Amino acid sequence: MLSRFLLRSSLAAILSAAAVLTVLPSWAAQPTAQEPVEEGSAPKRGRITPFNGAAPPEGAPQADTGQPSEPKASDGDAPSEGVNVIERMGAELPALPEEKPFTGKIDEAYGAFQRGYYLTAMDLALPRAQLGDPAAQTLVASILEQGLGVARDPKEAAFWYGQAAGNGDPAAMFKYALMLMEGRYVERDRKKSEALMKRAADLGNASAQFNYGQTLVADMPGPRGLKAAMPYYEKSAEQGIADAQYALSQIYLNVDGIEESKRARAREWLMRAARAGYDTAQLDIAIWLIEGIAGDRNLDEGFAWMKRAAEGGNVVAQNRLSHLYVNAIGTRPDPLEAAKWYVLSRRAGLKDDALEDFYLGLTEEQQKSALSAANRFRSS
């Protein structure tokens, strides 16, 4: 079974040939210089004073500057500077502009579907589907595929996806292309699948744009395929597909001949994918921040992203988070936390001789505490 994104598993393999990431144990040899702090000093804090543009509260004593007081705007001797912040507080906001009335055609079938009235949606959509309405055909296919309010019937769903695809619905084209690629409920036809995926991509379907990019990379391994896929990744990434955002970050950084204006956005796209919950992107952005790849170093933020990926179950992040705790990178040294995350990654099959030596150097009590913490994490 393919996932929602047809070739996600191949993306990491293809892009990893281009990407070169520094291993974490080397971070310990790259200490960050600390600014000297004078004894008894404290960080500066902003203050509201008459000298930084903020008006003091009414009745507060005025600082004696030794200068004659400025004429008030109300005296007519000085121009008005508008209403200050304190005077604006509590003022009624202007009314919002009137919302323009909806003039389009209301789709009652989709409205019922969105409210969870699946049988009603089917009753409304099926007559339209039989008359050739592609949107209704896609809706009928979706209801049948998922078994929403009706018996699940994937073969019948495939029929309706095929009808809707033939009638020009991009979402149906994407779904039917996946079925053709797999040979699931329809006869397998890779050539037709790729043509249909490209058509859906060109019509703006974000998932199809990413997947068609994947087929180009698979058909043309190396920089040539990555560059050919890049425009489709870009369109998909702009529509919020995290896989495409991650792909762009790797292409922009690692492929030769990329425009500098695009290369400068590599970290931005990786951060977007990380924020969308893509755990591989969370791992990579942690490494980039700690190593200073495609931007400045930020150990604290890098540690935070590594911890987030580790807590989400990424085994490599769990291993590398242990290194961060051992070497106090972006955090204070914490042998128990380091041991906990090492135990979790070791249980998942990730071997690490350096961390094994560290773990064996702990006391028996510390090892028991780490095992207990790892067990609690897994059970949660």
Side-chain angles (χ1 to χ4, degrees), residues 133-380:
D133 184 326
Q137 290 170 337
T138 301
L139 181 57
V140 168
S142 181
I143 292 172
L144 290 168
E145 181 185 29
Q146 300 175 70
L148 300 174
V150 299
R152 185 171 177 271
D153 192 337
K155 288 186 177 180
E156 187 71 7
F159 167 79
W160 284 113
Y161 277 131
Q163 294 295 305
N167 287 325
D169 185 81
M173 291 177 191
F174 168 66
K175 294 287 290 188
Y176 198 60
L178 292 179
M179 292 178 174
L180 288 167
M181 178 64 73
E182 290 184 286
R184 180 166 49 101
Y185 311 120
V186 295
E187 186 177 349
R188 191 172 187 273
D189 189 332
R190 179 173 178 177
K191 185 175 180 180
K192 185 177 179 181
S193 171
E194 291 187 6
L196 201 57
M197 191 71 77
K198 183 180 186 303
R199 188 178 173 199
D202 291 340
L203 288 173
N205 184 276
S207 297
Q209 288 164 345
F210 171 74
N211 278 276
Y212 185 65
Q214 292 288 77
T215 62
L216 291 172
V217 172
D219 292 342
M220 296 180 286
R224 179 166 165 259
L226 292 170
K227 287 183 178 179
M230 190 170 70
Y232 288 97
Y233 287 147
E234 288 172 336
K235 293 174 184 177
S236 181
E238 289 288 356
Q239 296 193 67
I241 301 298
D243 299 66
Q245 294 167 347
Y246 177 78
L248 277 188
S249 71
Q250 305 305 306
I251 294 172
Y252 282 178
L253 181 69
N254 297 294
V255 176
D256 292 334
I258 300 297
E259 298 174 19
E260 286 303 315
S261 60
K262 290 186 176 183
R263 198 178 299 281
R265 298 188 66 193
R267 184 183 282 192
E268 173 193 337
W269 284 117
L270 184 59
M271 183 65 78
R272 285 200 194 185
R275 287 173 177 162
Y278 192 179
D279 67 323
T280 304
Q282 292 171 349
L283 168 65
D284 280 11
I285 195 63
I287 294 172
W288 287 23
L289 287 163
I290 292 169
E291 295 287 351
I293 298 171
D296 296 333
R297 298 179 74 190
N298 188 325
L299 301 183
D300 292 344
E301 192 175 351
F303 171 82
W305 276 112
M306 192 70 76
K307 190 169 187 288
R308 181 171 173 179
E311 290 174 341
N314 187 291
V315 176
V316 176
Q318 291 172 348
N319 173 273
R320 297 193 174 190
L321 183 62
S322 180
H323 280 285
L324 296 183
Y325 276 117
V326 169
N327 296 295
I329 298 174
T331 185
R332 293 182 178 182
D334 191 329
L336 292 182
E337 278 294 295
K340 179 188 84 172
W341 290 110
Y342 169 59
V343 167
L344 288 166
S345 65
R346 184 180 64 181
R347 285 175 177 173
L350 187 56
K351 296 181 179 180
D352 190 310
D353 292 339
L355 287 179
E356 182 68 17
D357 288 343
F358 154 76
Y359 182 76
L360 293 176
L362 298 176
T363 66
E364 184 177 350
E365 188 64 30
Q366 287 175 319
Q367 290 180 7
K368 287 182 179 179
S369 297
L371 288 169
S372 177
N375 291 336
R376 287 196 303 271
F377 176 82
R378 290 191 66 180
S379 64
S380 64

Side-chain angles (χ1 to χ4, degrees), residues 49-51 54-65:
T49 72
F51 309 107
E58 185 177 353
Q62 302 291 323
D64 183 6
T65 63

